[in-house]
Amino acid sequence: MSHDITHDGVADHHDHDHKPKGFVKRWLMTTNHKDIGTLYLIFAFAMFILGGAMAMIIRLELFQPGLQFVEPDFFNQMTTMHALIMVFGAVMPAFVGLANWMIPMMIGAPDMALPRMNNWSFWILPFAFALLSSTLFMEGGAPAGGWTMYPPLVLQGGHNVAYLVFAVHLMGISSIMGAINVIATIMNMRAPNVGYLNMPLFVWTWLITAFLLIAVMPVLAGAVTMLLTDRYFDTSFFNAAGGGDPVLFQHIFWFFGHPEVYIMILPAFGVVSEIIPTFARKPLFGYVSMVYATAAIAFLSFIVWAHHMFSVGMPLGAELYFMYATMMIAVPTGVKIFNWVATMWKGSMTFETPMLFSLAFVILFTIGGFSGVMMALAPVDLQYHDTYFIVAHFHYVLVTGAVFAIIAGVYYWIPKWSGHMYNERLGKIHFWWSTISVNVLFFPQHFLGLAGMPRRIPDYSTQFAEFNMWSSIGGFAFGLAQVFFIYIVWKTVRGGEKATGQVWEGAKGLEWTVPSPAPHHTFEDFGPVDLDKMAHGKTH
Amino acid sequence: MQREQENRKVLKIGLTVAVLMVGFGFALVPLYDIICDITGLNGKTGVLAAQDVRETAVDHTVVVQFDGTVNSDLPWSFRPKQFSMEVVPGKLYHTEYIAKNISTDDVTGQAVPSVAPNEASIYFSKTECFCFTEQLLASGEEKNMPVTFIVSADIPKDIDVLTLSYTFFNKNRMTTAEKQQAGNANHEKI
């Protein structure tokens, strides 16, 4: 490896910055963190469209009461596959893509710590989802027992179980390798003068997320392995006739599942913590408290899992414990919301598209957080359980939370990736279109749930008809808005106003010290960086 | 290079933790059983201890309700002979369930007991039960299935009703190959 190195850590000749030639060498065999980041983001986007198409089928069927378009079993396949694809195929890989692109540039590292493993962890994913999606074309169809894979139901659906289990194994391997890579990069690859408390919050939240991934993805792998052996090798982990217990699966699954929801939201916290200070033109309020709050949320996520299963029949003491422990999560989360608001307080705010999505994130994620606190209450949760109230809750935190943060991050960093500014007018149209439609889509579902409409059912009582129609209209509009987003991204990558290296007036961080588009290799000399360029760099 | 060694170290530690966490997932299985045994969660019944039996009368009684269901895979009918019984804690009682195989095949079943409420389950123990062994019923055969049980004299006074429930499962679980064959056969018929 012989590269010309300049003192600001950037290979300065753009005309030949050592990109490998040819599709196979450039993409299939790549070990470059920026290329792998791009691959992750494209893959996540493709899965987002696939999972979104399934959501459209679900909303189409629910547009009116009665069965119009699909068979109930196919409807259940759609709800199951939509969730699996969105969780493991869209949201998680999108954040890994952002991590790949941004973490090395944010800490002054030349690349990820383990570049070849990085390639491997990406290229496993298409195979995992080919395996999972192939079940759609099989006799008996795709898994239809819900993404939570509760036995015995999930074991009664034919041989898609085996495909589901192996797909989950592959996703798990991919995530674990990605997480180890993130940890090694952050711990070992920082520029020599960048300390832990100089790191941008996006790096911090990802470090903590990576620890969560290593801790819980293997537990999920174990749980689905038990499903596999129960189905094919006559073990009785979850089979009551053989002395097992189906409720045990729920405990193991949610021991993974609750940290999993923070795996999907902590990096989102990181993204908006980068964006809000930029457009408020003020340093992030309470940086250290943000780090501690993130760590506290991660710790608490391990000890609250049974709040997903209040209705299985727990002793009063356990219900009380899980209820109070869950409500405690609102404290560090509240610290974060407070800090974001305080960052904006008396700031010189402007409202470019990334900022708009981040503001919507803060407000709408908080709505999702509030409904979460409502469900933490064990006695009322018995009413909310398995209703559309739950559906509304987790879509507020995942769509207007995680997905909005990803969209905000794409608008924020795409000038750095592509070298072009996106069209601000189209971005604003995309924002208002998405934000209005997503609320039309999910807000009525709160009322549907409170009135008793169960989730995962293709038909419903006529009393729910109007809210469902609104919800479906909002759903179609939101889906269309994301097709519009593809157009905006496509247009930006192809051309547009040239972006400067700094891109945003108020932006701080090492990623803004390199030119746009970011050269193929950056920060190659492992040398010290200018701490004044970092948001949290100055040591007073 | 030193950095490379450090990266490898993180990789090794990370992979070790991942493997250990797979083990932790499996360790949750026995852990769950132990916790259920100790606390009586999940309606697992208690083990008879010496202090449970008492000659002298205890001054309160408990109503024990009996419930029986069959899993949908099992072509049997199954019900308790009597639906409830008022018992004195510390004394042995005897009751029966009636099971009948209503299919044309011989079928082996396995009953799984459960006691509600959870807090009561550790005070309930069975000294004789059809659920201890697998039960074979020939086609059309009907059989009385005895249970001998005792409610511990230590049972708290605020528990005055408890329910003993059995679910009968089909023990002739078809192997995967057989299921496949059955599925194919069905398919051919159509």
Side-chain angles (χ1 to χ4, degrees):
Chain A
M1 297 273 279
S2 63
H3 297 299
D4 297 304
I5 288 160
T6 57
H7 291 291
D8 59 346
V10 173
D12 62 349
H13 36 209
H14 291 184
D15 43 335
H16 54 107
D17 57 358
H18 308 277
K19 285 192 184 86
K21 298 279 176 289
F23 181 83
V24 170
K25 272 208 161 147
R26 172 77 198 274
W27 298 108
L28 207 60
M29 293 157 69
T30 181
T31 55
N32 180 287
H33 74 98
K34 300 186 182 76
D35 284 353
I36 293 175
T38 305
L39 286 172
Y40 263 113
L41 287 168
I42 292 171
F43 178 79
F45 216 128
M47 288 295 117
F48 183 60
I49 297 302
L50 178 62
M54 292 171 175
M56 294 299 107
I57 294 172
I58 294 167
R59 282 319 322 172
L60 186 68
E61 181 55 55
L62 292 174
F63 191 74
Q64 282 188 323
L67 294 175
Q68 282 91 22
F69 298 98
V70 295
E71 293 294 314
D73 183 52
F74 186 71
F75 181 90
N76 289 343
Q77 294 176 29
M78 287 296 103
T79 54
T80 306
M81 293 289 280
H82 163 74
L84 287 167
I85 286 173
M86 287 304 200
V87 168
F88 295 105
V91 173
M92 288 168 71
F95 280 126
V96 181
L98 291 177
N100 260 291
W101 250 105
M102 303 319 298
I103 287 176
M105 286 207 286
M106 284 174 153
I107 58 176
D111 204 312
M112 297 293 278
L114 305 153
R116 270 175 289 192
M117 194 170 81
N118 202 13
N119 172 296
W120 195 21
S121 45
F122 171 75
W123 279 110
I124 283 181
L125 279 182
F127 293 95
F129 283 89
L131 210 58
L132 183 64
S133 308
S134 67
T135 57
L136 281 166
F137 306 102
M138 283 177 192
E139 200 181 330
W147 83 282
T148 49
M149 303 177 275
Y150 282 4
L153 185 61
V154 74
L155 301 178
Q156 294 165 351
H159 293 300
N160 56 41
V161 186
Y163 288 77
L164 172 64
V165 168
F166 290 127
V168 170
H169 280 158
L170 289 179
M171 295 165 202
I173 291 168
S174 164
S175 309
I176 290 165
M177 290 197 301
I180 292 174
N181 219 335
V182 166
I183 293 172
T185 306
I186 296 173
M187 287 174 77
N188 295 341
M189 304 283 281
R190 278 172 288 124
N193 58 340
V194 174
Y196 280 109
L197 284 178
N198 295 338
M199 298 194 309
L201 213 72
F202 178 69
V203 180
W204 255 115
T205 53
W206 240 112
L207 180 63
I208 291 166
T209 302
F211 281 112
L212 290 182
L213 275 167
I214 293 186
V216 300
M217 286 308 285
V219 176
L220 175 68
V224 296
T225 307
M226 292 179 217
L227 285 180
L228 187 78
T229 59
D230 266 13
R231 176 73 167 77
Y232 290 103
F233 302 105
D234 287 332
T235 57
S236 293
F237 288 106
F238 311 125
N239 173 19
D245 189 339
V247 176
L248 169 64
F249 179 85
Q250 302 188 19
H251 282 289
I252 304 177
F253 180 85
W254 286 113
F255 184 84
F256 145 81
H258 201 74
E260 169 68 16
V261 307
Y262 293 105
I263 287 166
M264 291 191 281
I265 204 64
L266 294 184
F269 291 167
V271 172
V272 299
S273 300
E274 299 302 316
I275 293 172
I276 289 175
T278 295
F279 296 99
R281 291 168 180 76
K282 271 180 64 193
L284 184 68
F285 185 88
Y287 167 75
V288 179
S289 71
M290 283 300 226
V291 173
Y292 281 120
T294 310
I297 293 172
F299 170 74
L300 289 172
S301 74
F302 282 103
I303 57 169
V304 296
W305 74 91
H307 66 212
H308 293 270
M309 33 192 295
F310 280 137
S311 64
V312 298
M314 263 186 275
L316 189 63
E319 286 190 15
L320 284 173
Y321 161 73
F322 283 112
M323 171 170 129
Y324 288 129
T326 304
M327 290 167 77
M328 212 148 72
I329 298 178
V331 177
T333 315
V335 169
K336 289 186 154 295
I337 309 276
F338 178 85
N339 285 349
W340 289 322
V341 175
T343 304
M344 291 183 270
W345 176 251
K346 291 191 174 174
S348 312
M349 301 225 294
T350 51
F351 298 93
E352 285 85 345
T353 310
M355 182 62 162
L356 287 174
F357 273 103
S358 300
L359 291 175
F361 170 93
V362 174
I363 295 162
L364 298 175
F365 176 80
T366 305
I367 292 178
F370 278 146
S371 57
V373 176
M374 289 170 75
M375 292 182 305
L377 299 163
V380 288
D381 183 64
L382 295 179
Q383 186 199 346
Y384 305 150
H385 188 83
D386 258 347
T387 68
Y388 260 83
F389 193 77
I390 304 287
V391 177
H393 160 73
F394 66 67
H395 281 99
Y396 262 88
V397 290
L398 280 174
V399 180
T400 60
V403 172
F404 266 37
I406 293 165
I407 294 174
V410 168
Y411 278 114
Y412 185 55
W413 284 308
I414 203 170
K416 181 57 64 188
W417 302 336
S418 70
H420 302 129
M421 294 302 289
Y422 62 87
N423 184 321
E424 190 61 56
R425 208 171 67 89
L426 297 187
K428 286 208 165 82
I429 292 172
H430 175 221
F431 168 75
W432 287 110
W433 187 355
S434 296
T435 304
I436 293 168
S437 60
V438 84
N439 281 293
V440 175
L441 165 56
F442 293 121
F443 208 81
Q445 295 183 357
H446 289 114
F447 307 125
L448 285 172
L450 290 178
M453 178 170 162
R455 63 191 281 210
R456 293 170 173 162
I457 307 270
D459 189 7
Y460 50 82
S461 161
T462 47
Q463 62 179 323
F464 304 129
E466 273 186 43
F467 276 143
N468 267 297
M469 193 176 283
W470 291 8
S471 186
S472 286
I473 291 169
F476 301 143
F478 184 73
L480 212 56
Q482 305 329 307
V483 177
F484 182 55
F485 182 44
I486 301 180
Y487 168 72
I488 297 173
V489 171
W490 177 252
K491 214 165 120 61
T492 310
V493 173
R494 293 301 296 262
E497 190 194 326
K498 283 263 172 273
T500 60
Q502 174 64 29
V503 183
W504 309 109
E505 184 198 2
K508 288 207 121 194
L510 295 178
E511 75 263 41
W512 310 111
T513 63
V514 303
S516 302
H520 205 53
H521 297 285
T522 41
F523 300 103
E524 282 194 289
D525 58 355
F526 281 107
V529 293
D530 183 359
L531 285 186
D532 283 339
K533 303 284 188 200
M534 298 187 79
H536 317 290
K538 280 181 216 120
T539 41
H540 294 289
Chain B
M1 206 175 135
Q2 204 200 338
R3 194 187 312 274
E4 232 160 77
Q5 277 171 354
E6 277 169 16
N7 288 344
R8 271 172 200 282
K9 203 172 126 194
V10 174
L11 174 64
K12 276 181 199 151
I13 295 172
L15 288 178
T16 312
V17 172
V19 171
L20 287 177
M21 287 310 291
V22 175
F24 175 78
F26 279 90
L28 286 174
V29 178
L31 207 64
Y32 178 78
D33 285 341
I34 292 167
I35 291 171
C36 287
D37 278 350
I38 295 171
T39 58
L41 286 183
N42 231 9
K44 304 241 165 141
T45 50
V47 184
L48 189 69
Q51 73 270 17
D52 290 346
V53 191
R54 214 163 284 178
E55 290 303 317
T56 51
V58 178
D59 60 345
H60 66 110
T61 57
V62 177
V63 174
V64 179
Q65 299 175 330
F66 301 100
D67 170 55
T69 41
V70 282
N71 181 270
S72 56
D73 282 343
L74 184 69
W76 286 11
S77 73
F78 175 63
R79 61 187 171 82
K81 211 166 186 178
Q82 71 188 109
F83 290 102
S84 76
M85 199 185 256
E86 194 167 353
V87 306
V88 178
K91 293 212 163 105
L92 274 178
Y93 288 86
H94 184 85
T95 186
E96 279 179 342
Y97 278 71
I98 303 163
K100 185 178 182 188
N101 182 347
I102 52 176
S103 76
T104 52
D105 300 309
D106 300 355
V107 181
T108 309
Q110 169 72 57
V112 175
S114 165
V115 171
N118 284 327
E119 302 85 65
S121 58
I122 45 174
Y123 300 103
F124 186 93
S125 45
K126 304 176 290 305
T127 56
E128 186 201 342
C129 176
F130 56 91
C131 60
F132 294 162
T133 53
E134 293 173 4
Q135 301 288 331
L136 173 70
L137 289 188
S139 172
E141 184 186 352
E142 186 175 287
K143 196 167 160 186
N144 284 359
M145 302 205 165
V147 188
T148 308
F149 65 91
I150 184 164
V151 176
S152 165
D154 290 339
I155 191 165
K157 281 192 178 176
D158 57 334
I159 301 175
D160 46 16
V161 180
L162 57 85
T163 306
L164 171 64
S165 172
Y166 287 99
T167 306
F168 244 114
F169 290 91
N170 192 336
K171 199 63 190 177
N172 301 32
R173 283 172 70 203
M174 283 188 287
T175 64
T176 315
E178 283 166 342
K179 274 181 200 158
Q180 190 92 45
Q181 257 176 356
N184 289 346
N186 280 338
H187 222 71
E188 276 155 27
K189 269 181 225 160
I190 299 162

